[in-house]
Amino acid sequence: MVAEIIEKYNTRARTVDSLLCVGLDSDIERLPIRFLEDQYPQFAFNRWVIEQTHPFVSAYKPNIAFYEARGEAGLAELRMTMAYLRSEHPDIFTICDAKRADIGSTNTGYVRAIFDVLGFDAVTLHPYLGGEALEPFLEREDKAC
């Protein structure tokens, strides 16, 4: 199954003839004023970026820290962004820029949240704690790391 998720990326990259990955590092403190006036500023900004760039990208990579920093409001807007991508651009690969790696059941929670709840195709990991810390992520043969 790992091959299937990698093929999703490869297919998209071939289709648009591009390896471009756009980071959606939507820091609320740096968004243009016009987006801050929206009820959902991070989502409005992300949607605008996606609308401007989707013909050219192979992947989008939201940095989860900028959404977590706003608590439930930020996480809701990250979920909105993911729902928008799945609905409007399901062929574009999504990467959760989370740099996760921990121990034991903590990683199981991260795996569920990133892949099952938020619906990302892939996640960035931090290898410092070694293979055991990465194992829960790497066991997901339907996703990429």
Side-chain angles (χ1 to χ4, degrees), residues 25-45:
D25 300 354
S26 305
D27 183 347
I28 195 76
E29 295 179 10
R30 300 186 69 178
L31 295 184
I33 294 226
R34 70 180 192 185
F35 297 107
L36 293 175
E37 295 169 349
D38 193 282
Q39 180 179 0
Y40 304 107
Q42 286 174 301
F43 173 64
F45 178 74

Side-chain angles (χ1 to χ4, degrees), residues 32-72:
I33 294 226
R34 70 180 192 185
F35 297 107
L36 293 175
E37 295 169 349
D38 193 282
Q39 180 179 0
Y40 304 107
Q42 286 174 301
F43 173 64
F45 178 74
N46 290 346
R47 186 179 58 223
W48 180 81
V49 169
I50 293 164
E51 289 171 355
Q52 305 307 308
T53 61
H54 73 85
F56 314 105
V57 303
S58 55
Y60 286 105
K61 184 175 61 75
N63 186 319
I64 200 167
F66 294 108
Y67 305 92
E68 291 174 331
R70 293 189 56 229
E72 183 51 39

Side-chain angles (χ1 to χ4, degrees), residues 57-107:
V57 303
S58 55
Y60 286 105
K61 184 175 61 75
N63 186 319
I64 200 167
F66 294 108
Y67 305 92
E68 291 174 331
R70 293 189 56 229
E72 183 51 39
L75 289 171
E77 293 186 53
L78 178 58
R79 287 190 299 272
M80 293 167 72
T81 299
M82 289 304 296
Y84 178 76
L85 283 168
R86 282 192 303 273
S87 169
E88 301 300 317
H89 305 287
D91 59 320
I92 299 179
F93 198 73
T94 57
I95 305 165
C96 182
D97 189 357
K99 299 170 190 77
R100 297 289 198 236
D102 208 316
I103 57 171
S105 62
T106 302
N107 278 337

